[in-house]
Amino acid sequence: MDGTAPFFGGIEAGGTKWVCAVADAGGEVLATEVIPTTTPETTIGAALRFFGGHPPIAALGIGTFGPVDVRPGSPTYGRILATPKPGWADVDVVSPFRAELGVPVRLDTDVNAAALGEWRRGAGAGLGTIAYMTVGTGIGVGAVVNGGLVHGLLHPEFGHIRIPHDTGRDPFAGSCPFHGDCLEGLASGEAMRRRWGRRAEHLDDPSAWELEAGYIALALVNLTYALSPERIVVGGGVAKHPALLPAVRARLLTLTAGYPGPPVPAGPAAMDEYVTGPALGDRSGVAGAVELARAARSEAPASW
Amino acid sequence: MDGTAPFFGGIEAGGTKWVCAVADAGGEVLATEVIPTTTPETTIGAALRFFGGHPPIAALGIGTFGPVDVRPGSPTYGRILATPKPGWADVDVVSPFRAELGVPVRLDTDVNAAALGEWRRGAGAGLGTIAYMTVGTGIGVGAVVNGGLVHGLLHPEFGHIRIPHDTGRDPFAGSCPFHGDCLEGLASGEAMRRRWGRRAEHLDDPSAWELEAGYIALALVNLTYALSPERIVVGGGVAKHPALLPAVRARLLTLTAGYPGPPVPAGPAAMDEYVTGPALGDRSGVAGAVELARAARSEAPASW
């Protein structure tokens, strides 16, 4: 470094696209590029070329689809674990960047990165405990608790919780290759595509969206009672359907049934503040990845 | 204080009994007393007499049944919220102790206190993220994440998550006055008593315990995927039945179905380490309450 303010890099490494960004020292994104996710070699190579075409960065943050080994010090740190995505199991998404760019790399899940992005710069700014849920091809949750992202044995995999499934109303057996009718198996974009025979963005049947809202509301009941978040930010492609979040909020009020009462949202106005879309739109994840990079160079807690 | 090492007080304020303790500066409990929970006046009065009969304490920690306002600075801090327990709604469990003893009082839920006790001095010692679940008259979860207890809008109320309920196998409608067949409504001691017509400790029917193990395993799946804890400590009266935890562990292995693979427990030996009883037996909660008191006098994070 020559003493000028450093630049930072971020990658939201998704299952269908990677979003790469270079940001200034304050985290403001200066340039982005969207790369389709193909083979590991091609995708990682394109990301490396993006960073090669910009001023050198001081650190890189990566928020990746998972499951992924996010445990610093683990011999398999940075590797994608049991993914159904062809070619990506066991791929190390950290080492190529560390080797080629020669900078610290901090890794987390895409949803933890998105939670961090919204907490630092978006809908969770100024709050304590927040959760970010993506409802897209898959379902995942990231969360900030006590000033850091949630980790433990590994990282949350909230898409795989079990929720009530009324097989009389919805005989679809679920799309999850591991669990069948877990949350993701019932309510992800992939589940909708397989249940209805078309992609969510082409689905207009109100009963399809009513069913979907019911499942997402059950997920948010469980998230509410598990973490007591101050806000839940819901992003992802499926969540963009304009009918979804209003129906989820109404159903969530019914399901919580006023328990335990305020300060947990007990009316429509409070619920509008409690369940929101992402303030950063489609850029929560990459903004959080940049924050991971900034944290790699600062005194921020090791947990993010 | 006269310069000698201080003493600390702790109360586990349960729905059926209060456990009061005085501990030395290192947190070792020197004296305890168990007080039946009757009216607020009688119960609080008896606890005050306990502390009056011992050397003065420098701070008091209280882990109470809930829901309870644990938000420091809230105008209703210390008050019990929507409890079905007669006479206890809106009772302030902090002010009488602060006024009478003249010391700092730190408050949390009984299960957060138990999680803290097990994390500092029991089955969670040395670990990062841990969860404590009680299965007794009710069901609750406390957790330590990023070095502090989990709080947000209020505190976790994990007993009220929704789980799959096969009404063909178990037509019982559930005992929760708010949600019917939420986790607590299906699997608490109160639910067992109402479903089977006798208290859990008098139930020997293997099919009753198999059903119970299935519900608790569903709860632990969801807790695993929500928090990724390194260990789940299961306490409470119902969990003492010798058939329960072994059956829960086996069922949890089936339900997680190897996803996402190690480091999440993928075999019986790892599962034995993952789901354990409390190392502190019936004293997790009061030990944690003492830790809350010690934290009130130290540089510990405000979150515990």
Side-chain angles (χ1 to χ4, degrees):
Chain A
M1 306 305 299
D2 59 6
T4 59
F7 296 98
F8 293 99
I11 303 174
E12 181 185 2
T16 55
K17 63 180 189 291
W18 284 30
V19 184
C20 302
V22 169
D24 67 16
E28 287 295 331
V29 170
L30 307 173
T32 60
E33 185 174 329
V34 177
I35 298 164
T37 310
T38 55
T39 66
E41 295 69 23
T42 304
T43 313
I44 291 171
L48 281 169
R49 275 194 301 283
F50 168 79
F51 290 108
H54 288 92
I57 55 176
L60 176 67
I62 303 175
T64 180
F65 69 90
V68 56
D69 190 345
V70 294
R71 301 167 300 163
S74 161
T76 54
Y77 178 73
R79 282 182 197 267
I80 306 289
L81 303 174
T83 180
K85 198 165 173 54
W88 284 87
D90 280 328
V91 168
D92 179 345
V93 295
V94 166
S95 296
F97 294 98
R98 203 174 258 160
E100 193 76 23
L101 303 177
V103 298
V105 179
R106 192 168 286 196
L107 175 75
D108 217 310
T109 60
D110 48 4
V111 278
N112 259 348
L116 179 59
E118 289 289 332
W119 183 59
R120 295 277 291 171
R121 312 178 73 84
L127 300 179
T129 303
I130 70 140
Y132 175 94
M133 172 181 284
T134 182
V135 187
T137 308
I139 294 180
V141 167
V144 175
V145 175
N146 291 322
L149 295 164
V150 177
H151 302 117
L153 278 180
L154 193 61
H155 53 70
E157 277 286 345
F158 197 79
H160 296 273
I161 67 162
R162 297 302 210 291
I163 57 170
H165 175 201
D166 177 350
T167 53
R169 179 182 178 195
D170 174 26
F172 179 61
S175 65
C176 175
F178 298 96
H179 311 120
D181 65 351
C182 65
L183 170 61
E184 181 168 293
L186 290 172
S188 64
E190 174 63 11
M192 295 181 85
R193 189 185 66 76
R194 287 173 55 177
R195 181 191 291 108
W196 304 107
R198 69 186 72 176
R199 294 169 53 87
E201 62 263 43
H202 302 130
L203 259 178
D204 284 322
D205 181 352
S207 69
W209 288 100
E210 193 184 314
L211 186 71
E212 178 70 7
Y215 290 136
I216 300 302
L218 283 164
L220 297 195
V221 172
N222 288 3
L223 190 53
T224 295
Y225 289 146
L227 281 182
S228 194
E230 290 164 57
R231 179 163 290 162
I232 302 176
V233 182
V234 184
V238 172
K240 287 181 182 172
H241 191 286
L244 187 64
L245 284 195
V248 166
R249 293 186 189 104
R251 185 80 190 123
L252 182 53
L253 270 179
T254 304
L255 285 167
T256 48
Y259 182 83
V264 174
M271 192 57 78
D272 285 349
E273 297 288 309
Y274 181 59
V275 176
T276 72
L280 305 178
D282 287 333
R283 291 296 179 261
S284 317
V286 76
V290 167
E291 295 299 320
L292 288 171
R294 293 176 72 209
R297 285 255 308 185
S298 77
E299 298 298 309
S303 51
W304 59 274
Chain B
M1 305 303 298
D2 59 3
T4 59
F7 295 98
F8 294 100
I11 302 175
E12 181 185 2
T16 54
K17 62 179 189 292
W18 283 29
V19 183
C20 302
V22 169
D24 67 17
E28 288 295 332
V29 170
L30 307 174
T32 60
E33 185 174 328
V34 178
I35 297 165
T37 311
T38 55
T39 66
E41 295 69 23
T42 304
T43 314
I44 291 171
L48 282 168
R49 276 194 300 282
F50 168 79
F51 290 109
H54 288 92
I57 56 176
L60 176 67
I62 303 175
T64 180
F65 69 90
V68 56
D69 189 345
V70 294
R71 301 167 301 164
S74 161
T76 54
Y77 178 74
R79 282 182 198 266
I80 306 290
L81 303 174
T83 179
K85 196 162 174 60
W88 284 86
D90 280 327
V91 168
D92 179 344
V93 295
V94 166
S95 296
F97 293 99
R98 204 173 256 161
E100 193 77 22
L101 303 177
V103 297
V105 178
R106 193 168 285 197
L107 175 76
D108 216 311
T109 61
D110 47 4
V111 278
N112 259 349
L116 179 59
E118 289 289 330
W119 183 60
R120 296 277 291 172
R121 312 180 73 85
L127 300 179
T129 303
I130 70 141
Y132 175 94
M133 173 181 284
T134 183
V135 187
T137 308
I139 294 180
V141 167
V144 175
V145 175
N146 290 323
L149 294 165
V150 177
H151 302 117
L153 277 181
L154 192 62
H155 53 70
E157 277 287 342
F158 197 79
H160 296 273
I161 68 162
R162 297 301 212 289
I163 57 171
H165 175 200
D166 177 349
T167 52
R169 179 182 178 196
D170 174 26
F172 178 61
S175 64
C176 176
F178 298 95
H179 312 119
D181 65 351
C182 65
L183 170 61
E184 182 168 291
L186 290 171
S188 64
E190 175 63 10
M192 295 181 86
R193 189 185 66 75
R194 287 173 53 177
R195 181 191 290 106
W196 304 107
R198 70 186 73 176
R199 293 169 54 87
E201 63 262 45
H202 302 131
L203 260 177
D204 284 322
D205 180 354
S207 68
W209 288 100
E210 193 184 315
L211 186 71
E212 178 71 7
Y215 289 136
I216 300 301
L218 283 164
L220 297 195
V221 172
N222 289 4
L223 190 54
T224 295
Y225 289 146
L227 280 183
S228 194
E230 291 165 54
R231 179 163 290 161
I232 302 176
V233 182
V234 184
V238 172
K240 287 181 181 171
H241 192 284
L244 187 65
L245 283 194
V248 166
R249 292 187 189 103
R251 185 79 191 125
L252 182 53
L253 270 178
T254 304
L255 286 167
T256 49
Y259 183 84
V264 174
M271 192 57 78
D272 286 349
E273 297 288 309
Y274 181 59
V275 176
T276 71
L280 305 179
D282 288 333
R283 292 295 179 262
S284 317
V286 76
V290 167
E291 294 300 319
L292 288 171
R294 294 177 71 209
R297 286 257 306 186
S298 77
E299 297 300 306
S303 52
W304 58 273

